[in-house]
Amino acid sequence: MSERSRGRPPSLQATQAALRAAAEVLAREGYDGLTIEGLAREAGLGKQTIYRRWPDKRALVLAVVQEVGRAELPEVRLEPSQAPAADASRVGSDGPTPRGPSAVVAYLERLVATLSWPGLASAFMGLMTEAQSDPEFGARFRSELLAERRAVLIRALAELRAEASPDDLEESADRIFGTILYNLFVWGREMDRNYLQRLLEQA
């Protein structure tokens, strides 16, 4: 049934329908296989409904990647009164909450799980290509997709390594992210908790 015959969906409903459909197409056909026309058919929406929310394909895919990664972004918080070496867990109503290095490794595990989502590699590489050819979109790509995740890790590393300089913390975060992206997107390697623990220690 077309959007016209059943009436225009509420804004949130249409947005979620488009994001879900785009995620399915990306997982099935990759970045190059996603078109606004095909997405409109898949989601049961009009093209103009999609264009009212996102000006082009890359903006839509950026929104999909942000939505997929939303659960991975909670802040990594260490126990303020606790030395990082103790690395204990605080038990609350929801069970043990990792602290210290374990909290950072848990964040990296969430990041790897997000980046391992089917279609994400193609979407990410497609967006990177777009970012290289369009400086304005490149700035948006870095600020909306990369900067927040990098900042979360830098803040966590700062709590673990109080003696480290800001430059050292940024370089460590970049080495960690670079290694994860290289393993996933170039070699297709899986990374378990032990690997991520070693990566954190060596970065």
Side-chain angles (χ1 to χ4, degrees):
M1 181 180 295
S2 70
E3 183 186 2
R4 180 182 298 276
S5 62
R6 57 184 165 83
R8 179 178 299 170
S11 177
L12 181 59
Q13 180 184 343
T15 297
Q16 292 303 315
L19 290 173
R20 285 193 301 270
E24 292 171 2
V25 174
L26 285 168
R28 189 173 66 241
E29 302 178 29
Y31 185 84
D32 290 339
L34 176 66
T35 65
I36 298 299
E37 293 78 5
L39 175 63
R41 290 193 300 270
E42 182 106 2
L45 300 171
K47 287 192 297 182
Q48 290 308 312
T49 299
I50 296 172
Y51 280 122
R52 276 196 296 270
R53 287 156 180 78
W54 303 282
D56 50 34
K57 168 182 165 176
R58 60 191 184 181
L60 169 62
V61 173
L62 182 59
V64 172
V65 175
Q66 289 173 314
E67 186 71 15
V68 169
R70 194 175 301 279
E72 149 242 324
L73 266 178
E75 186 72 66
V76 181
R77 297 193 182 281
L78 311 186
E79 201 68 67
S81 61
Q82 157 189 357
D87 194 20
S89 292
R90 176 175 59 82
V91 178
S93 59
D94 297 326
T97 300
R99 289 292 186 257
S102 291
V104 183
V105 174
Y107 169 68
L108 295 178
E109 287 183 301
R110 294 196 303 271
L111 177 67
V112 168
T114 297
L115 294 174
S116 300
W117 167 76
L120 196 282
S122 177
F124 195 89
M125 297 303 290
L127 292 176
M128 284 186 63
T129 300
E130 300 278 8
Q132 291 172 350
S133 62
D134 184 339
E136 183 176 349
F137 178 76
R140 182 180 174 191
F141 172 75
R142 289 187 293 273
S143 66
E144 295 186 14
L145 193 60
L146 302 180
E148 187 174 4
R149 288 160 175 80
R150 184 173 181 268
V152 167
L153 182 56
I154 289 172
R155 287 193 294 269
L157 291 174
E159 294 191 56
L160 285 178
R161 305 170 182 177
E163 76 289 350
S165 70
D167 286 345
D168 287 341
L169 294 171
E170 291 188 4
E171 289 176 6
S172 292
D174 289 342
R175 281 195 294 271
I176 290 171
F177 276 126
T179 301
I180 288 174
L181 294 176
Y182 182 78
N183 274 288
L184 284 176
F185 294 163
V186 176
W187 291 107
R189 291 172 178 159
E190 296 184 359
M191 287 166 282
D192 61 14
R193 186 175 183 81
N194 290 332
Y195 180 91
L196 295 173
Q197 179 69 53
R198 293 194 302 272
L199 177 60
L200 175 63
E201 292 169 353
Q202 296 168 6

